[in-house]
Amino acid sequence: MFIATNRLFVPAERAEEFEAHFRDNMRTYLPGVPGLLRSTLLKPTKDDQPYVSVNEFETEEHFRDWVASDSFREAHKRNRGIARHVTGNAVETFEHAEDLVLPRQRVEQ
């Protein structure tokens, strides 16, 4: 698995509009991307924290193909509407090292 993240710094007063634009782009441009397993937008819990976009791909090649695709270019051309909300960002990539998935714990009351 290959994971690409993007930390997106958005002023609190622009958060709602940013989320709407980002969510719409995800739903419009990501379905059907070859090798994309999951895309997540994480919302900060404090004003000084960034949003984090997490995209999980089967392989690095799938990620590189997506970045070179027409779909990526269209999504990011449309992102000009989102970009006015972002005061900084940082893209990072990772290879999968380990997962621990626990069964849901039942809480007795």
Side-chain angles (χ1 to χ4, degrees):
M1 184 183 314
F2 187 80
I3 301 159
T5 66
N6 191 357
R7 294 182 296 136
L8 302 150
F9 293 87
V10 177
E13 66 272 9
R14 295 187 172 174
E16 190 174 319
E17 189 176 357
F18 166 80
E19 287 179 35
H21 279 277
F22 201 96
R23 186 179 305 113
D24 185 49
N25 264 12
M26 287 174 73
R27 293 175 181 174
T28 301
Y29 295 102
L30 294 181
V33 169
L36 181 63
L37 301 171
R38 182 178 180 158
S39 184
T40 304
L41 179 63
L42 303 175
K43 183 177 181 173
T45 57
K46 297 178 184 169
D47 287 345
D48 62 340
Q49 295 176 322
Y51 281 83
V52 179
S53 169
V54 181
N55 292 296
E56 299 174 12
F57 289 86
E58 290 177 17
T59 66
E60 183 175 356
E61 184 177 355
H62 283 109
F63 168 73
R64 302 272 175 226
D65 288 348
W66 173 63
V67 170
S69 73
D70 290 339
S71 176
F72 181 89
R73 280 189 292 283
E74 275 301 309
H76 287 78
K77 180 169 58 172
R78 188 168 181 258
N79 277 354
R80 291 182 187 128
I82 292 173
R84 71 175 183 269
H85 305 298
V86 178
T87 59
N89 76 305
V91 175
E92 300 167 320
T93 57
F94 305 89
E95 291 182 3
H96 181 265
E98 181 65 34
D99 269 332
L100 174 63
V101 179
L102 299 172
R104 192 172 208 175
Q105 307 266 335
R106 184 176 173 175
V107 178
E108 299 288 331
Q109 293 191 13

